[in-house]
Amino acid sequence: MVGHFDGSAERLLYAWDIRFLVLLSLFIQTFLSFLAPMRKRTSSLRMAFFIWVFYLLADGVAIFTIGLISKTQDTTPSSSSSSSSAYPPTYTYTSLHAFWATFLLLHLGGPDSITALALQDNSLWQRHLLQRFAQVVAILYVIFQAITLKTLHLWPAVVLMFVAGLFRCAERILSLYVASMDNFRNSLLRKPDPGLNYAKLMLENSSRKPAKHSMEFQMRTENEEKNDDLEAGDGYGGHDHYNPNELDDMKMTYEAYKFLMKFKGIIIDQIFSLSESDDSRKYFLKFKENAKEAFRIIEIELNFIYDIFYTKVVLRNYLHICVMRIVSLCCIAGGLLLFHFTYRQNFKGVEVGITYMLLWGAITLDTVAFLKLYFFSSWTIATWIIKGKSEKTSNSRYSFVEESVRKINNLLYKFPRPKILRRRWSESMPQYNLLDYSLKEHAGPLTRCLYMVGFEDLIIEVGYVTKQAFTDPLRNFIFEELRAKSEMAVSTDDTKKISSSRGASVLENDTVFKALVPKWITDVNYEESLLLWHIATDLLYNVEKGPVGSHESKRGIRQCLPCLSEMQENSSTDTDNAIDYADCSRILSNYMVYLLIMRPTLMSPVADIAHIRFQDTCAETKRFIEDERLKPAPEQTQMKQLCQKILSVDAKIVPEFLKGDRSQSVLFKGCRLAKELQYLNGNKWKIICQVWVDLLCYAAVRCRRESHVERLSKGGELITLVWLLMVHLGLGEQFRITTGASKAKLVLRRS
């Protein structure tokens, strides 16, 4: 009986293994096609995990199935006479499976919505090229096996599908190559500029001296010419801009595309002059009461950058790719027609249904991808508007193009969609609090084992990181602070000074807070200053504001995966015009600590020994909690007790004087800062909030550009939006050119 069962299981596995795997491959392609774009809209760990698993499975399942088909291709029913009736006929088995192998080649080309899981995948395009070459050879071998067995009755359809799969693989390799950072950098490098011919000009100058001519140089810089152009513009910062007070989704898409084309060199650390930012700077300064629209333009621009590095949209401007797409779609349709009208009657059983599923699935996915790429995308809207504006000499043509784009825009943006599909990034700020972690962290045996095998960051994300919605009051406050900084920046020296402030400029403008600058800003490193202000902000907030349960999501696994309704509830509590500076200060404080500790690659240029300081400070806090033996109480009450006890410590003596400098803990240095702030009156919380915006801006312009791009595929970060907004406002270290190229004219006057 056991032998009979084993034989039945073997026959079942023999009959269904390839069928199941090709259907699984089709399902994976469908999943990635429609859900991969979600990773730029959410920071959910669950969504990131599923996309990661299916991305890795996509190639693995296809390759394994090709190998399985190749291995079983030589097997015929005669090889097992006792159970030959359980196997499919040779005609169906060898011919259809060879046909299915070409679909796997199509799947290896991948969907348009995700070509690279991480930014580093683009740099490995040579490896992908070699892998695809090996897989094409394997499929050719499968087809050759079917030919030698004289069972390839579907050879016309096989050829058509093989061509379509070949084109799809070529698209993927080309998209990886074009999006690789080396190629992207080379494509943006300008021609070498030797500048004005100095030697020739000086030779001409010296040759005129014996003739006793008086000579002078008339100089005109590149920046002066650009300023003349801007003055002749449309009144909104240059030429061809829409009124900031009359923007809709279509117009914002156009503005974002124009700014991207001008400033995409910042990704590879190109330098610019202030005059080159005047166009965007003057335009964004017009957004006085429209911070949401200004941020929306930045979000769309970052979505364009995401598309360049993580999807196939970068190929849409290549004519031969468009031709390949059409030919590929025609080949798939031809394969369907051939199978249905010529070969369908020769086959029976479930294989026919599977073949139809593969054919219709391929046609559906290709058609949807083609329409999204060339007709229903933000890139299409922007390029068509630009084309329409270039046709202004013919008003009727321009009106027709703009009206056509507007109709597409209505279809894209005004069709009812879930809230998450209307978002362009996660619109959330992860919160990580030092005191809260020290109070709640209890590493049991299982937790310590997980720490040892490298799951420490995951445990912290799940257990101690909360999510806070990016509220309108906070958005408005950040934008107004950046606008004020931009208005003060009139030279490259000003931009450097403002971008390097770290809060000093804010405190120096207030006579009461001015004394804090040397001790807590300029005389300490950035990461130490950030932790000091974090501890001080938290101590003051918990003592003065009390429990904060309404502002934080529940603890546990759901912290990493907050549902949309929870985030909207958080957002709705702060949508009034009056901003709570204390709440905003604490949100920014927790967010900056999260970036500093949990995103070290993003903050590496400014992190220094942040992890050591954080660990030492947590250790001292835990020891303090054990010594004080806090009474059992709800979380918020216990946190307030802890903060009151820390502030009650007499910290007149500098901690390093007693402890030395081996321990990098800053707990009681932060306590000393909190005490100094505690007794200052005036707009204390507004000043603290401005300091946090300065600390955010300081880090934003110093983070590696590649790190900003990497975070786009994981829901995005507020610091990335702030970085790009600062660039458009003329702030940052990339503005180093003062006058630009000069044009000199030698004027001779007789003595």
Side-chain angles (χ1 to χ4, degrees):
M1 183 174 178
V2 175
H4 175 73
F5 175 78
D6 292 343
S8 301
E10 182 182 357
R11 287 194 295 273
L12 181 64
L13 180 63
Y14 186 90
W16 274 97
D17 52 359
I18 296 178
R19 300 174 187 175
F20 171 76
L21 289 172
V22 293
L23 290 177
L24 177 61
S25 181
L26 177 62
F27 169 76
I28 291 173
Q29 295 299 309
T30 306
F31 177 90
L32 291 176
S33 295
F34 292 102
L35 291 184
M38 294 293 293
R39 64 184 183 144
K40 68 180 178 182
R41 298 186 175 98
T42 177
S43 56
S44 166
L45 289 180
R46 181 183 300 170
M47 180 61 68
F49 174 76
F50 280 126
I51 292 175
W52 173 72
V53 169
F54 281 105
Y55 179 85
L56 296 180
L57 279 177
D59 286 359
V61 169
I63 295 170
F64 178 77
T65 309
I66 293 171
L68 192 62
I69 292 175
S70 174
K71 180 180 179 181
T72 57
Q73 196 76 289
D74 290 331
T75 305
T76 61
S78 59
S79 61
S80 181
S81 56
S82 61
S83 59
S84 62
S85 61
Y87 294 88
T90 304
Y91 189 99
T92 303
Y93 182 74
T94 56
S95 192
L96 268 186
H97 286 188
F99 188 41
W100 291 355
T102 58
F103 286 94
L104 297 172
L105 181 62
L106 196 69
H107 295 170
L108 286 170
D112 285 10
S113 57
I114 178 170
T115 55
L117 184 67
L119 190 62
Q120 294 79 6
D121 291 336
N122 295 320
S123 301
L124 302 175
W125 65 270
Q126 298 100 326
R127 178 186 298 178
H128 287 275
L129 175 62
L130 183 60
Q131 290 175 344
R132 295 299 173 269
F133 176 77
Q135 289 143 15
V136 168
V137 171
I139 291 176
L140 286 174
Y141 177 69
V142 170
I143 296 173
F144 174 76
Q145 285 179 309
I147 293 174
T148 56
L149 292 173
K150 298 180 180 181
T151 57
L152 192 61
H153 307 285
L154 286 162
W155 69 267
V158 169
V159 170
L160 289 176
M161 290 305 304
F162 181 79
V163 171
L166 207 59
F167 283 172
R168 180 67 67 82
C169 289
E171 283 180 14
R172 183 173 185 181
I173 300 302
L174 183 59
S175 64
L176 290 172
Y177 167 71
V178 173
S180 63
M181 197 58 69
D182 290 339
N183 181 76
F184 185 77
R185 182 181 293 106
N186 293 335
S187 67
L188 295 179
L189 289 178
R190 59 176 175 81
K191 293 181 180 179
D193 182 13
L196 183 140
N197 194 333
Y198 178 82
K200 181 179 179 180
L201 193 62
M202 296 310 296
L203 179 63
E204 185 177 355
N205 181 25
S206 57
S207 66
R208 300 291 182 178
K209 287 184 178 180
K212 298 182 179 180
H213 289 109
S214 62
M215 292 162 290
E216 62 181 19
F217 290 101
Q218 291 183 355
M219 307 296 297
R220 185 164 179 80
T221 65
E222 177 185 353
N223 291 353
E224 291 173 349
E225 295 180 352
K226 290 183 177 179
N227 289 335
D228 291 343
D229 292 338
L230 290 174
E231 290 174 2
D234 55 14
Y236 299 111
H239 296 275
D240 299 329
H241 282 298
Y242 288 107
N243 189 333
N245 299 316
E246 300 175 358
L247 291 177
D248 55 19
D249 287 325
M250 182 190 73
K251 294 176 181 178
M252 285 190 285
T253 300
Y254 164 77
E255 297 293 350
Y257 181 81
K258 292 280 285 186
F259 290 134
L260 172 70
M261 292 298 104
K262 186 172 185 177
F263 286 105
K264 60 183 178 181
I266 59 173
I267 299 174
I268 59 169
D269 291 326
Q270 278 190 352
I271 60 174
F272 300 88
S273 65
L274 279 179
S275 66
E276 289 178 292
S277 70
D278 279 345
D279 182 22
S280 63
R281 181 170 174 265
K282 291 181 179 179
Y283 186 70
F284 276 92
L285 287 178
K286 297 289 183 179
F287 289 89
K288 294 182 180 179
E289 303 295 334
N290 301 323
K292 193 168 187 177
E293 284 74 13
F295 269 92
R296 188 69 172 173
I297 293 175
I298 298 299
E299 293 169 13
I300 297 172
E301 188 174 350
L302 288 173
N303 276 189
F304 282 137
I305 296 176
Y306 168 87
D307 290 340
I308 290 174
F309 289 99
Y310 295 103
T311 71
K312 292 183 182 178
V313 76
V314 71
L315 303 179
R316 68 183 302 276
N317 294 326
Y318 294 89
L319 178 60
H320 61 280
I321 294 297
C322 182
V323 174
M324 286 171 56
R325 280 293 177 101
I326 296 173
V327 172
S328 177
L329 193 56
C330 291
C331 287
I332 300 173
L336 174 62
L337 294 175
L338 281 173
F339 178 78
H340 183 73
F341 292 106
T342 306
Y343 306 110
R344 164 68 180 84
Q345 61 274 14
N346 298 323
F347 299 94
K348 295 180 181 180
V350 73
E351 281 87 354
V352 175
I354 293 176
T355 305
Y356 273 123
M357 290 180 64
L358 292 173
L359 285 165
W360 281 111
I363 289 178
T364 302
L365 293 178
D366 260 34
T367 303
V368 170
F370 185 84
L371 292 176
K372 288 178 64 177
L373 186 62
Y374 290 101
F375 294 97
F376 301 103
S377 71
S378 299
W379 293 83
T380 302
I381 290 176
T383 52
W384 282 9
I385 294 178
I386 292 173
K387 182 180 179 181
K389 284 183 174 288
S390 67
E391 301 282 351
K392 278 188 175 181
T393 54
S394 173
N395 293 330
S396 60
R397 292 183 64 186
Y398 171 67
S399 301
F400 171 75
V401 171
E402 186 165 19
E403 184 60 28
S404 300
V405 173
R406 193 174 298 278
K407 290 180 180 179
I408 295 177
N409 170 72
N410 292 336
L411 181 63
L412 280 173
Y413 296 106
K414 296 184 180 180
F415 190 84
R417 293 178 297 169
K419 176 70 175 177
I420 193 171
L421 294 180
R422 297 197 298 270
R423 295 204 309 245
R424 292 187 176 271
W425 67 295
S426 64
E427 296 185 6
S428 66
M429 301 170 62
Q431 305 284 287
Y432 188 33
N433 187 276
L434 185 148
L435 296 180
D436 182 75
Y437 172 76
S438 302
L439 187 63
K440 300 295 183 297
E441 199 270 338
H442 297 289
L446 178 60
T447 303
R448 286 194 292 269
C449 291
L450 292 175
Y451 280 0
M452 293 176 61
V453 295
F455 286 98
E456 181 177 0
D457 288 347
L458 179 61
I459 293 173
I460 293 175
E461 286 274 4
V462 171
Y464 304 100
V465 174
T466 63
K467 296 291 177 66
Q468 172 68 43
F470 186 41
T471 60
D472 288 339
L474 182 56
R475 180 189 291 109
N476 295 336
F477 180 76
I478 292 175
F479 183 72
E480 287 303 317
E481 286 295 307
L482 294 180
R483 280 187 72 254
K485 294 176 185 296
S486 179
E487 290 173 345
M488 292 188 296
V490 295
S491 67
T492 54
D493 291 336
D494 291 337
T495 61
K496 292 178 181 178
K497 182 179 179 181
I498 292 172
S499 302
S500 304
S501 171
R502 288 173 43 188
S505 60
V506 174
L507 299 177
E508 288 172 350
N509 290 334
D510 192 293
T511 55
V512 177
F513 291 84
K514 189 174 182 179
L516 300 176
V517 174
K519 189 189 303 183
W520 307 112
I521 299 291
T522 57
D523 291 347
V524 293
N525 294 332
Y526 174 81
E527 90 287 349
E528 182 179 1
S529 176
L530 190 149
L531 290 175
L532 288 172
W533 282 90
H534 170 71
I535 293 171
T537 301
D538 215 33
L539 291 175
L540 292 178
Y541 186 91
N542 284 289
V543 170
E544 296 182 8
K545 299 288 289 186
V548 293
S550 61
H551 291 277
E552 293 187 356
S553 56
K554 295 181 179 180
R555 303 229 167 245
I557 295 180
R558 289 182 60 194
Q559 294 171 342
C560 290
L561 311 167
C563 66
L564 190 61
S565 60
E566 289 176 345
M567 294 181 61
Q568 293 304 312
E569 289 173 4
N570 289 335
S571 180
S572 63
T573 60
D574 290 321
T575 54
D576 55 358
N577 293 327
I579 179 172
D580 190 328
Y581 293 112
D583 286 343
C584 290
S585 298
R586 191 168 191 263
I587 290 170
L588 288 173
S589 170
N590 291 341
Y591 177 65
M592 291 304 297
V593 170
Y594 171 83
L595 293 178
L596 189 68
I597 305 303
M598 301 303 297
R599 295 289 172 255
T601 55
L602 185 65
M603 300 285 284
S604 59
V606 295
D608 199 20
I609 57 170
H611 273 78
I612 297 175
R613 292 191 194 279
F614 185 84
Q615 291 175 356
D616 289 355
T617 305
C618 287
E620 186 171 21
T621 306
K622 292 174 185 177
R623 184 179 62 186
F624 182 82
I625 293 171
E626 292 175 359
D627 293 342
E628 292 296 327
R629 297 180 181 178
L630 299 178
K631 298 178 181 179
E635 290 184 16
Q636 290 79 22
T637 305
Q638 208 171 33
M639 176 62 71
K640 187 171 184 177
Q641 292 177 8
L642 173 61
C643 293
Q644 289 173 339
K645 287 185 176 294
I646 292 175
L647 284 173
S648 66
V649 174
D650 186 5
K652 293 181 179 179
I653 302 177
V654 178
E656 288 89 339
F657 179 78
L658 298 177
K659 299 193 303 180
D661 58 358
R662 179 174 294 278
S663 173
Q664 298 297 322
S665 173
V666 294
L667 175 63
F668 289 103
K669 287 183 70 175
C671 174
R672 296 183 63 189
L673 172 59
K675 287 184 176 182
E676 291 191 33
L677 292 170
Q678 193 174 27
Y679 298 107
L680 296 177
N681 298 321
N683 299 325
K684 174 176 63 180
W685 281 111
K686 182 178 180 180
I687 296 294
I688 294 174
C689 197
Q690 288 175 321
V691 169
W692 278 113
V693 172
D694 262 21
L695 292 170
L696 173 64
C697 295
Y698 182 89
V701 297
R702 284 164 177 78
C703 292
R704 294 172 55 247
R705 310 299 183 248
E706 292 86 350
S707 299
H708 282 302
V709 177
E710 287 173 2
R711 294 304 302 169
L712 296 179
S713 65
K714 300 175 182 177
E717 294 288 355
L718 172 62
I719 193 173
T720 303
L721 274 72
V722 170
W723 160 67
L724 192 56
L725 183 57
M726 290 180 68
V727 170
H728 290 325
L729 287 171
L731 302 172
E733 296 189 338
Q734 67 275 2
F735 298 103
R736 304 177 189 173
I737 302 174
T738 55
T739 61
S742 298
K743 295 181 180 179
K745 182 179 180 181
L746 184 61
V747 180
L748 303 179
R749 304 183 188 276
R750 292 188 178 276
S751 302

